[in-house]
Structure formats: C-alpha cells, structure tokens
Amino acid sequence: MIYKEFEPSDDLKSILKCYWVLEGTSEEINEKQTIVPDGCMEMIFHYGDFYYQYLPDGSKIKQPRCFVFGQLTQKLEIEPSGDSGMFAVRFKPEGLQPISQMAAKEFQDSAVPLDKVLGPEGLSLGSKILDASTSEERIKLIEHYLTATFESSAIADSIVNDAVNTIISSQGRQKINELPIESSVSRRTLERRFTDTVGVNLKQLSKIIRLKTAVHKMINKEYNTLTELAYDNGYYDQAHFIKDFKKYTGLTPKDFFDSNFSFTHLFYENG
DNA sequence: GACGGTATAAGGGTCTTAGC
DNA sequence: GCTAAGACCCTTATACCGTC
C-alpha cells in the first residue's frame, strides 16, 4: 500500500492543507475502514475501483467517483470494491467555502458529487483528474483549477479564519465564550458565518481538534496512561476523555487500537 | 442581514463503582 | 493502578424568534 502527501503551492496554502494519494491492491486493502473526524473537508477522486460507504443503519451505498466529503461529526466507514486508487485534496476547515456553490453545513457527514459543489465545471475537472496518469499530473490540473477559481471568488471570511486559527492553535482548548472576536461583529454573527463556512459549529470544531490532538499523541505513543493523555489535552479527567472518544470513533481508546483504523493511522501519523 | 433575549439541549465537572 | 462506564447536577453553547 502506498500513501503519500504533497504540499500545495504557496498561492493555495491559505485554503489547502495538502494533497494525498492512496494506492493499494484488493489484497492489500480489503477490509472496511473507519475514518474519524479531523476538522477538514476533502475533495476525493477515485481513479481506482469505487468505494462503498456505510450508512448509520448499516446499509451501504456506492460512493461517487469524484466528490467532496463535508465535515465529519461522527465516524465514517468505507470499504473498497477492488483495487484502491485515490487522489484527494485536503482543505483547511474554512478553505472550501470560497470556491463552493453550497454552504458547507449542507454537506456535513456526506459525500456530494463534484458538480453539485463546483457546478458544471466539476464534471470536466473530475474526468480530467481521473484520466491523468500520474499524481504530478493530477496536482497540476487541480492547482490550475483552484488557482483560477480562488482568484475569482470571494476571499475567505477573515473573521471566521481568525476563529479557526485560534481554535487550532489552542488545540481545541479555547473556550468558545472567551473567543476573541472583532468588535465589528456580534458573537451571533460569528456563529452563523462560522457554521456556514466551516460546516460545523465553533464547539464541534473545537472538540474535533482536541480529539485529533489526543489521537495523534496516541498513535505516536506520546503518553504513558490514558489518564495522563486526558489531562494533557484539556479534558477534565479520563472519564471525560473516553466519553468524547466514543462519541467520535464509536470505540473506547483501548478498542481503537485493536480495530481496523489503518486509514486513520495514516492520516494522523503526520498530524 | 444582523442583533439581542430567552429557552433548552448538550456538555462539562465530579464522584463512584466495577473489572482486569 | 489503570481503564471504562454511569449518575447526577450545574453550566454553557446554540437554536429559535421577534425586532430593527
């Protein structure tokens, strides 16, 4: 199995975290995979065989070839139908909104076909990316599209941008009612703009970032006990940590490592 | 569209218990 | 001692709605 991340160009670093590629045969990746929320939205292109996505009722649906996955507020289970070949664009929490034709909160926890998010241009972009033969070629195509679209669209909301940065830099420990905001807008206005832009509310993103920080430390073995890990990440105690952990992953921290979270490990290993 | 008051659901804090 | 889970109560973040 190959997993590789690529840095975006300087022009796009304000909205993108990275590009990534995942390839593997059906022998290498053949089980249901669980993805936990990480606060980012992703634009996915399946140039390999398609993937199934499990719904909360246990049924499964075929994912589109090219789509945007909105903010996750719960675990996501997916399963390959054959050989995997995925190219993805990982956006910053507020990064997709300037180029999207939909409010981010509309595609929370769901895969929305690219043409619905980007308009008719999404169809041609998707087929070009699928037809490309190398990662470098795909990155070139997406950079060309994003640079042109980002230039012609509204600049990302700076007030929302500041709030996201504060939450991320505090590793999710920032109290929402103590969040510093510009005097030109009310707290309510910030809340509304934030949810429309990021796809989750202030508190949800804060909790996701806090959990992500804790999971990153777990995966990298930067803790001795779960109690210590809970305290280190701003949880009141270990009980509080476990409660949150189960909410987002469906498992207790101990069970987490015994189950098939290899995709999550890949995505979290580098923070 | 933005603001502000208010009700309430959800979250957080604290303590306890149980299993290994 | 560590981990996991549950109960209870208080706090707070958010949704709703009327107003400007």
Side-chain angles (χ1 to χ4, degrees), chain A residues 38 87 142:
Chain A
D38 69 350
F87 172 71
I142 196 77

Side-chain angles (χ1 to χ4, degrees), chain A residues 107-119:
Chain A
F107 38 88
Q108 187 183 88
D109 290 312
S110 56
V112 180
L114 208 53
D115 56 311
K116 283 198 175 175
V117 182
L118 304 179

Side-chain angles (χ1 to χ4, degrees), chain A residues 103-165:
Chain A
K105 66 177 178 185
E106 290 179 58
F107 38 88
Q108 187 183 88
D109 290 312
S110 56
V112 180
L114 208 53
D115 56 311
K116 283 198 175 175
V117 182
L118 304 179
E121 284 181 63
L123 286 176
S124 59
L125 175 68
S127 52
K128 281 181 197 166
I129 299 270
L130 296 180
D131 289 345
S133 51
T134 64
S135 299
E136 288 70 25
E137 210 178 312
R138 292 188 177 97
I139 289 171
K140 208 173 164 185
L141 283 164
I142 196 77
E143 289 244 320
H144 182 263
Y145 173 81
L146 289 175
T147 306
T149 312
F150 187 48
E151 273 176 1
S152 63
S153 63
I155 302 294
D157 192 322
S158 65
I159 294 162
V160 172
N161 193 271
D162 288 347
V164 169
N165 288 337

Side-chain angles (χ1 to χ4, degrees), chain A residues 162-177:
Chain A
D162 288 347
V164 169
N165 288 337
T166 304
I167 288 169
I168 291 173
S169 61
S170 73
Q171 297 185 326
R173 298 179 199 201
Q174 173 67 47
K175 282 200 168 188
I176 304 305
N177 66 352

Side-chain angles (χ1 to χ4, degrees), chain A residues 12-18 37-42 68-72 89-100 102-105 107 156-157 160-169 193-202 204-206 208-209 212 271:
Chain A
L12 294 170
K13 279 185 178 165
S14 62
I15 60 168
L16 300 187
K17 289 193 91 169
C18 67
D38 69 350
C40 296
M41 283 185 270
E42 314 240 6
V68 169
F69 213 104
Q71 287 283 0
L72 284 175
V89 184
R90 184 174 297 150
F91 286 84
K92 290 188 173 179
E94 75 285 21
L96 181 70
Q97 195 52 38
I99 61 163
S100 171
M102 294 169 66
K105 66 177 178 185
F107 38 88
D157 192 322
V160 172
N161 193 271
D162 288 347
V164 169
N165 288 337
T166 304
I167 288 169
I168 291 173
S169 61
R193 284 203 214 163
F194 191 95
T195 309
D196 281 348
T197 305
V198 179
V200 289
N201 59 39
L202 289 153
Q204 282 177 312
L205 182 71
S206 200
I208 290 168
I209 298 297
K212 181 185 175 182

